Amino acid sequence: MDTRLQGRTALVTGATSNIGRAIALAYGAAGAHVAVSGRDPERGAAVIAQVRAAGGRADFVPADLDGSPGRSRALADAAVAALGRVDVLVNNAGVYPAGTTLTTDEETFDRIFAVNVKAPFFLTAALVPGMTERGGGVVVNIGSWIARLGVPGGSAYSASKGAVETLTRAWSAEFGPGGVRVNAVSPGVVADAGSELERLAVGMMRGTPADAVGRPEAIAVAAVYLASDDAAFVHGTVLDVDGGRTGVAVVAS
């Protein structure tokens, strides 16, 4: 039985599907009391039921993060009300509207940066002071391999994830002296088994060492590690969990 997060509390944004759901389940299994945050109460209830069925503790905290400081602060307050405090914050919620630079309009661009960058920025700003007052805490950001390996589409999304990686390092420098560790996980192409996303994305991982699409659970394992005392000496790091997508050359044959 994994008890690395026993007695801790965690807020996971975007926790009702895919990577966020897997992290919430893994945190619950490791002993944390989890605030499952998302827009859909039904999907949130399903995640909570899974956590509780495995013997964990979880509560649903609804949020539709739009980048405004007010909504980020409201989520922070709701999570503290549900958990008593927030020891671990996982900034996972994000949007990925498809589009090239030439086809992305201003509204779409602004929404990508609002959800992917501004929302975690202000949510972190709302929760870190409490962590510092208690002597420590953890922030885990979710980046993306696409921030460092260019592809023809999704330029605004990749730029937003590049910002998340930069914030990870900046926050580590800013908050580390107060006892708050900040790191990130950079997933490769990840999808649930048998999903439509897996079918569409499998070609993007062909030829990598893994030669397959990753599973959300692989990212969750890394997120548990970064939140635990096992990573006590890990600061400002972006942990690639991407099947070798960014670190290993894929040579056409």
Side-chain angles (χ1 to χ4, degrees):
M1 181 178 178
D2 190 349
T3 60
R4 284 180 291 173
L5 302 183
Q6 191 69 45
R8 301 185 190 180
T9 61
L11 167 61
V12 183
T13 68
T16 59
S17 65
N18 205 349
I19 290 172
R21 177 180 60 207
I23 293 174
L25 294 175
Y27 276 21
H33 182 184
V34 185
V36 174
S37 181
R39 292 176 295 179
D40 189 325
E42 291 187 9
R43 293 199 303 185
V47 176
I48 289 169
Q50 285 183 273
V51 173
R52 292 175 178 173
R57 299 177 64 197
D59 292 283
F60 180 66
V61 182
D64 186 4
L65 297 172
D66 62 359
S68 65
R71 287 201 182 179
S72 289
R73 167 57 71 179
L75 173 56
D77 290 344
V80 170
L83 302 175
R85 67 184 189 279
V86 174
D87 300 320
V88 181
L89 167 62
V90 180
N91 287 312
N92 168 73
V95 294
Y96 181 27
T100 65
T101 299
L102 301 184
T103 60
T104 299
D105 58 27
E106 183 179 17
E107 181 180 357
T108 301
F109 183 94
D110 287 346
R111 179 168 177 258
I112 291 171
F113 270 77
V115 177
N116 296 1
V117 183
K118 287 183 66 179
F121 184 94
F122 289 114
L123 183 57
T124 300
L127 289 172
V128 161
M131 295 179 183
T132 301
E133 288 175 8
R134 293 187 300 275
V138 175
V139 177
V140 179
N141 296 322
I142 304 300
S144 173
W145 67 276
I146 205 173
R148 279 171 287 143
L149 189 62
V151 298
S155 56
Y157 175 79
S158 62
S160 75
K161 288 302 184 178
V164 169
E165 288 198 4
T166 298
L167 284 172
T168 298
R169 292 183 285 269
W171 285 341
S172 182
E174 184 176 356
F175 304 134
V180 178
R181 290 191 301 105
V182 185
N183 293 287
V185 182
S186 180
V189 181
V190 172
D192 291 315
S195 66
E196 179 66 9
L197 176 58
E198 179 186 40
R199 186 187 69 80
L200 294 172
V202 66
M204 302 184 80
M205 291 298 290
R206 190 168 292 124
T208 63
D211 200 36
V213 172
R215 301 293 175 230
E217 292 75 18
I219 312 306
V221 169
V224 170
Y225 162 69
L226 289 176
S228 75
D229 290 341
D230 289 346
F233 201 53
V234 181
H235 292 260
T237 292
V238 179
L239 178 58
D240 293 326
V241 185
D242 62 3
R245 176 72 271 182
T246 57
V248 181
V250 176
V251 180
S253 59

